[in-house]
Amino acid sequence: MHLAYPAVLSALLFCAGLYGVLARRNAILVLMSVELMLNAVNLNLVAFDVWLSRAARETLHSGQALTLFTIAIAAAEIGIGLAIVLAVYRNRGTSDIDRLRDTAEGHDGETPAAEKAEATA
């Protein structure tokens, strides 16, 4: 099998994940898109590892070892990310990223420093 087939598939998966990260508003769908991007990188790592091991006749398989490390990190990332999203959903009642971004500025659009100045005055 040629190297071009997994490389093109990996590029398509990465572009779909990038679109999901940039276009989605739901935090869970953004996390799923990040996972799709990581899987595209894993596919590239394994494909290039197989290609380089055939060319050099080495048996090190460092690309596959790095893929296992990436999968472990991705599993930890999605576990922590999902726990954070669920905690925010319980407190705020939504997982919409645009609404969550406004919580740092306050509900009226005022900055927290302006609210603190009003409270002391």
Side-chain angles (χ1 to χ4, degrees), residues 39-111:
N39 285 333
V41 170
N42 287 339
L43 179 63
N44 247 350
L45 283 171
V46 170
F48 276 99
D49 180 51
V50 168
W51 182 65
L52 288 174
S53 68
R54 285 184 186 170
R57 304 279 188 237
E58 295 177 1
T59 58
L60 185 59
H61 299 297
S62 59
Q64 293 178 12
L66 190 58
T67 298
L68 289 175
F69 181 72
T70 307
I71 290 172
I73 295 297
E77 174 259 334
I78 198 68
I80 293 171
L82 190 58
I84 291 171
V85 168
L86 288 175
V88 168
Y89 181 77
R90 286 181 185 162
N91 288 336
R92 302 286 182 199
T94 184
S95 64
D96 189 8
I97 293 175
D98 292 333
R99 290 184 186 166
L100 295 177
R101 191 177 321 155
D102 296 334
T103 59
E105 295 149 0
H107 298 290
D108 301 342
E110 297 178 357
T111 60

